[in-house]
């Protein structure tokens, strides 16, 4: 069962990462095929496991006290584009172009 | 003191008694790193800061106030741990030029104990891989490729080609760290272990590789791959040294809420003489397809070793073993898809020049920054997390994970103390052979014996056992009960003493730097 171009396009949108070429798409197909082996296992009545530490009550809450911070300068150091104390991003709320208009390998499919 | 000495039993004493100074030790290690550059084990060598740390350590020794066993000891850290002021790249274009603003907790702990940080070691990009061949700085070469032991067994090709085409991989993804320890450039190194990334290269490079229990050592500052499985790994040349490192690194960290709150008491390993009360489990499913007959024989010999010494050796079953690699594949890609989302070019790392929109900038940044392997896993992970697939794949995998973890619980409950298994399917492959299969296939093949321990969160250790017919290291793995590192390491230490794994005789280096090796022993330390 091949993954449809719609789903591949959807994945590129969600992941913001490209398949690049037919090899990339093949890679996904093989990954799904591999994962399908999971269905051989009988998991009736089995609860999903989030963490191996589930019996130990690891995740705790703490008091909402500020214990560290004041490191604006260090944090901004690694950003390429900034203005005063802001990280600068290009305009938002513009969705990625649709498949037909985008420069993607999937266009040919 | 020699660079191939054991940390705890020899170097530490030498430093204390002034027979060698931290600066001398540091300089010799730095020189050795230079002369073994062809191994490509290090991405960044922090020469200036290392020498400064060594000088500070020397001051402390002069005052008679060393911070502990690790004071002045040169160590290396895998390049996916944040190190303040030092570039942290994860062997990816995405983080080239990224200077960490902070130290990972484990790095901070090493520094607080006086260790000298020599540099950051090479890995597969973002720790995805089992060969240390897929990083942007190129593959790591296994130091054993240049050993007398391997060269003696090598079928000579044309002389000019010989050294270039015969070299074998380190395994991965912590190959740089394993190679660094194996080639004597440091006394210990940090790796990470998500599916076997510390134990696999440890086996191929003939060093001790410890994966601690999940929750014992802080992951704060370790650039995450799979939050529910990642652990910092410890690579050393003997089990005692691994215990020393563990002692300085383990314990609750308020900055990592997945570390357990119990007090951790560092321990020294006893010299076990009586193993009659020990029960060793041999999981039959670990006789996996593709396991070399050589390793199978070695495994069997090891089991007999325990039996003949009076231990109880029983065959056990972990029935879901054959599903664990598939389960891992789904959970890993799903968590990776989530963890890699932070790389968008805004706050750190590579940023594309695209300015049309935020989304197109993110897409271009990630397109340019990640290699095929990373992109492939992100896309697969996103597929398994799609609404229509979530139950079928992700939740299903989580259920299978519980079955795998329960297999171990049942076996340990039946009275078994420690499990004994192979670590890898074979000895290290030549690079040219290894790259003929793609990363995912290789990882699926190579992780088979190691990753169930990550699924269950259990501690596991590779102990170098013997040389293969090709003259390359082969190790065996011990898997212990949750948080029972002391028992696990005690058994590992006993086994290490029995097998007397040979010291590598590094040929290349001897030609360049004959002052380094003061003595070559064929028996192991202590």
């Amino acid at each position: 069962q091949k993954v449809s171009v719609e789903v591949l396009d959807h994945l590129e949108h969600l992941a913001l990462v490209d398949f690049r070429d037919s090899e990339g798409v093949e890679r996904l197909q093989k990954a799904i095929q591999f994962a399908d082996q999971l269905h051989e296992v009988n998991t009736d009545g089995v609860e999903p496991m989030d963490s191996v530490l589930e019996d130990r009550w690891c995740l705790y809450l703490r008091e909402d006290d500020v214990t560290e911070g004041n490191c604006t300068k260090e944090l901004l150091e690694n950003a390429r584009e900034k203005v005063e104390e802001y990280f600068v991003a290009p305009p938002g709320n513009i969705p990625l172009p649709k498949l037909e208009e985008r420069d993607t390998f999937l266009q040919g499919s | 003191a020699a660079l191939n000495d054991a940390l705890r039993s020899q170097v530490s004493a030498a430093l204390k008694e002034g027979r060698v100074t931290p600066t001398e030790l540091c300089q010799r290690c730095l020189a050795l790193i230079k002369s073994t550059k062809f191994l490509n084990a290090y991405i960044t060598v922090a020469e200036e800061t290392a020498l400064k740390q060594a000088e500070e350590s020397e001051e402390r020794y002069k005052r008679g106030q060393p911070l502990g066993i690790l004071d002045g000891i040169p160590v290396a850290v895998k390049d996916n741990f944040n190190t303040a002021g030092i570039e942290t790249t994860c062997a990816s274009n995405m983080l080239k030029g990224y200077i960490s603003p902070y130290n990972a907790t484990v790095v901070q702990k090493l520094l607080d104990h006086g260790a000298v940080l020599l540099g950051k070691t090479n890995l597969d990009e973002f720790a995805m891989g089992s060969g240390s061949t897929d990083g942007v700085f190129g593959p790591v070469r296994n130091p054993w490729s240049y050993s007398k032991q391997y060269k003696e067994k090598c079928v000579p090709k044309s002389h000019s080609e010989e050294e270039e085409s015969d070299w074998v991989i380190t395994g991965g993804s912590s190959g740089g760290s394993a190679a660094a320890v194996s080639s004597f450039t440091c006394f210990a190194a940090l790796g990470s272990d998500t599916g076997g990334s510390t134990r696999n290269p440890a086996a191929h490079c003939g060093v001790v590789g410890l994966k601690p229990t999940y929750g014992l050592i802080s992951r704060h500052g370790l650039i995450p791959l799979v939050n529910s499985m990642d652990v910092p790994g410890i690579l050393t040349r003997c089990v005692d040294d691994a215990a020393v490192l563990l002692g300085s690194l383990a314990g609750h960290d308020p900055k990592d809420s997945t570390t357990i709150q119990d007090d951790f008491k560092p321990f020294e390993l006893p010299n076990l003489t009586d193993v009659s009360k020990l029960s060793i489990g041999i999981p039959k499913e670990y006789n996996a397809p593709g396991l070399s007959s050589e390793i199978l024989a070695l495994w069997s010999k090891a089991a007999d070793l325990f039996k003949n010494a009076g231990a109880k050796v029983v065959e056990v079953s972990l029935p879901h073993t054959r599903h664990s690699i598939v389960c891992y594949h789904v959970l890993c890609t799903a968590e990776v898809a989530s963890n890699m989302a932070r790389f968008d070019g805004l706050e750190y790392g590579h940023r594309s020049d695209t300015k049309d929109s935020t989304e197109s900038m993110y897409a271009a940044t990630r397109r340019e920054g990640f290699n095929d392997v990373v992109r492939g896993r992100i896309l697969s992970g996103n597929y398994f997390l799609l609404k229509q697939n979530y139950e079928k794949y992700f939740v299903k995998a989580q259920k299978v994970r519980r079955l795998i973890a329960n297999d171990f619980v049942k076996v340990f409950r039946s009275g078994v103390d420690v499990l004994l298994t192979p670590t890898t399917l074979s000895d290290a492959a030549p690079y040219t052979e290894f790259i003929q299969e793609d990363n995912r296939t290789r990882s699926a093949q190579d992780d088979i014996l190691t990753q169930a321990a990550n699924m269950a969160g259990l501690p596991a250790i590779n102990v170098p056992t013997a040389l293969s017919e090709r003259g390359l290291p082969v190790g065996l793995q011990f898997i212990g009960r949750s948080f029972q590192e002391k028992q696990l390491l005690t058994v590992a230490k006993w086994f290490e003493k029995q097998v007397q794994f040979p010291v590598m005789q590094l040929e290349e280096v001897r030609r360049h730097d004959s002052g380094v090796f003061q003595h070559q022993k064929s028996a192991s330390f202590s």
Side-chain angles (χ1 to χ4, degrees):
Chain A
Q1 227 174 348
K2 291 228 156 212
V3 182
S4 69
V5 177
E6 286 76 40
V7 173
L8 292 175
D9 179 42
H10 185 46
L11 285 174
E12 280 199 345
H13 267 93
L14 282 178
L16 288 179
V17 139
D18 61 312
F19 281 99
R20 185 102 14 132
D21 50 30
S22 58
E23 234 185 273
V25 177
E26 245 325 278
R27 205 174 283 131
L28 176 67
Q29 289 289 159
K30 287 208 189 108
I32 300 169
Q33 222 177 347
F34 191 60
D36 281 334
Q37 293 173 68
L38 268 182
H39 304 120
E40 295 168 21
V41 191
N42 183 344
T43 52
D44 292 340
V46 181
E47 284 298 298
M49 180 181 239
D50 289 320
S51 166
V52 295
L53 298 173
E54 58 188 10
D55 294 332
R56 283 181 174 259
W57 308 104
C58 233
L59 290 176
Y60 54 91
L61 295 176
R62 65 173 186 133
E63 288 306 306
D64 190 14
D65 295 324
V66 176
T67 52
E68 55 179 346
N70 288 323
C71 48
T72 314
K73 189 166 155 292
E74 288 93 321
L75 293 181
L76 286 173
E77 215 128 294
N78 280 300
R80 227 188 75 174
E81 302 205 21
K82 50 207 171 196
V83 163
E84 293 180 15
E85 291 186 349
Y86 292 88
F87 295 111
V88 179
N93 280 326
I94 302 174
L96 265 187
K98 289 207 176 69
L99 183 57
E100 311 83 66
E101 296 147 31
R102 221 161 76 237
D103 174 24
T104 167
F105 160 75
L106 297 176
Q107 244 209 45
S109 321
Chain B
L3 291 188
N4 61 341
D5 278 348
L7 200 175
R8 193 184 75 81
S9 55
Q10 293 161 303
V11 180
S12 196
L15 282 170
K16 242 187 175 162
E17 291 158 26
R19 283 183 276 125
V20 71
T21 67
T23 345
E24 271 166 20
L25 214 51
C26 182
Q27 280 164 345
R28 278 156 62 184
C29 285
L30 288 171
L32 190 54
I33 293 174
K34 282 203 182 88
S35 61
T36 53
K37 207 158 176 207
F38 55 90
L39 294 177
N40 203 17
Y42 287 80
I43 293 176
T44 304
V45 180
E47 191 163 331
E48 266 180 54
T49 52
L51 285 168
K52 187 157 169 288
Q53 286 160 9
E55 274 164 31
E56 288 166 6
S57 171
E58 203 158 308
E59 283 305 305
R60 291 191 291 268
Y61 274 104
K62 283 204 184 111
R63 291 198 309 268
Q65 294 171 332
L67 295 167
I69 297 182
L70 282 179
D71 205 335
I73 301 290
V75 298
V77 166
K78 187 174 180 181
D79 208 14
N80 60 352
F81 285 91
N82 276 287
T83 43
I86 299 174
E87 196 181 3
T88 300
T89 66
C90 292
S92 175
N93 280 318
M94 190 57 94
L95 286 178
K96 255 191 188 166
Y98 168 71
I99 312 280
S100 312
Y102 71 109
N103 280 322
T105 297
V106 287
V107 172
Q108 191 60 53
K109 286 190 171 192
L110 285 177
L111 295 173
D112 289 344
H113 279 85
V116 172
L117 180 57
L118 294 173
K120 310 296 290 297
T121 57
N122 204 352
L123 58 154
D124 281 306
E125 182 161 337
F126 279 111
M128 299 187 199
S130 59
S132 303
T133 51
D134 276 328
V136 292
F137 298 103
V140 186
R141 299 187 181 202
N142 192 328
W144 283 85
S145 313
Y146 304 95
S147 68
K148 187 155 173 246
Q149 290 105 328
Y150 177 62
K151 292 196 161 190
E152 278 172 355
K153 301 289 176 94
C154 241
V155 176
K157 298 197 172 86
S158 81
H159 277 275
S160 56
E161 300 258 341
E162 195 185 302
E163 279 171 34
E164 285 318 295
S165 59
D166 270 349
W167 62 270
V168 297
I169 58 164
T170 50
S173 60
S174 310
S177 283
V181 173
S182 169
S183 60
F184 311 109
T185 61
C186 61
F187 289 88
L190 290 186
S192 65
D193 197 313
T194 305
S197 291
T198 289
R199 293 160 286 154
N200 175 295
H204 287 319
C205 294
V207 297
V208 170
L210 170 64
K211 173 213 167 295
T213 311
Y214 179 86
L216 186 61
I217 298 187
S218 172
R219 291 180 299 110
H220 175 75
L222 165 61
I223 296 173
L225 195 61
V226 182
N227 294 345
S228 68
M229 294 186 214
D230 289 351
V231 292
I234 292 169
L235 293 139
T236 55
R237 289 195 290 275
C238 66
V239 178
D240 265 334
D241 290 352
V244 170
L245 266 289
L246 185 67
S248 62
L249 297 177
H252 178 64
D253 181 12
K255 293 183 182 171
D256 177 358
S257 59
T258 59
T259 52
I260 56 160
Q261 310 226 21
D262 303 5
D263 276 326
F264 175 78
K265 290 186 195 63
F267 49 78
E268 257 184 48
L269 296 174
N271 272 310
L272 198 61
T273 43
D274 173 23
V275 295
S276 59
K277 294 189 188 63
L278 211 56
S279 172
I280 307 287
I282 310 286
K284 62 182 184 197
E285 292 85 359
Y286 277 64
N287 185 351
L291 185 66
S292 80
S293 49
E294 217 178 13
I295 298 194
L296 183 60
L298 210 62
W299 185 21
S300 183
K301 213 168 152 195
D304 287 340
L305 197 70
F306 279 100
K307 209 181 297 176
N308 295 334
K312 185 170 166 220
V313 178
V314 286
E315 191 189 71
V316 295
S317 174
L318 298 167
H320 294 92
T321 300
R322 67 191 178 91
H323 302 297
S324 63
I325 198 74
V326 184
C327 181
Y328 174 70
H329 162 74
V330 172
L331 293 179
C332 178
T333 50
E335 292 214 39
V336 161
S338 174
N339 278 320
M340 295 294 126
R342 72 193 67 199
F343 298 105
D344 55 21
L346 265 189
E347 296 130 321
Y348 43 73
H350 173 70
R351 178 177 176 141
S352 163
D353 291 326
T354 311
K355 287 187 194 334
D356 307 334
S357 68
T358 310
E359 282 211 19
S360 65
M361 187 279 275
Y362 288 175
T365 296
R366 292 157 69 81
R367 186 194 168 94
E368 293 159 20
F370 290 140
N371 75 359
D372 289 344
V373 177
V374 179
R375 284 192 350 270
R377 291 203 195 185
I378 293 172
L379 288 162
S380 303
N382 273 103
Y383 179 82
F384 298 133
L385 291 172
L386 286 175
K387 219 189 315 197
Q388 67 257 37
N389 295 331
Y390 196 83
E391 281 287 328
K392 224 169 57 142
Y393 290 98
F394 183 67
V395 177
K396 179 79 180 180
Q398 286 191 306
K399 292 179 180 179
V400 175
R401 181 176 187 177
R402 182 178 296 283
L403 292 175
I404 293 166
N406 283 346
D407 278 355
F408 284 100
V409 170
K410 286 193 198 113
V411 161
F412 284 126
R413 210 169 269 167
S414 75
V416 165
D417 296 308
V418 159
L419 296 168
L420 168 63
T421 79
T423 312
T424 54
L425 294 174
S426 66
D427 57 4
Y431 175 70
T432 46
E433 194 186 293
F434 184 80
I435 53 171
Q436 283 176 30
E437 286 279 10
D438 73 284
N439 184 293
R440 191 189 62 79
T441 312
R442 281 298 181 206
S443 299
Q445 291 164 348
D446 301 332
D447 287 347
I448 238 165
L449 302 168
T450 47
Q451 61 74 226
N454 297 86
M455 298 282 269
L458 298 171
I461 185 170
N462 171 76
V463 180
T465 306
L467 293 184
S468 69
E469 273 187 26
R470 286 163 67 216
L472 294 171
V474 167
L476 290 176
Q477 173 179 240
F478 293 93
I479 305 175
R481 295 162 184 249
S482 241
F483 300 105
Q484 301 304 311
E485 270 79 353
K486 186 169 180 187
Q487 180 181 56
L488 178 68
L489 291 173
T490 301
V491 174
K493 181 175 165 173
W494 180 86
F495 182 70
E496 174 188 65
K497 197 162 181 201
Q498 305 304 308
V499 299
Q500 300 276 297
F501 184 77
V503 176
M504 172 175 66
Q505 285 148 45
L506 197 54
E507 296 233 294
E508 211 84 340
V509 182
R510 289 183 90 178
R511 282 205 296 276
H512 296 151
D513 198 343
S514 57
V516 164
F517 294 98
Q518 294 178 5
H519 50 105
Q520 282 293 319
K521 295 185 285 195
S522 56
S524 71
F525 325 106
S526 85

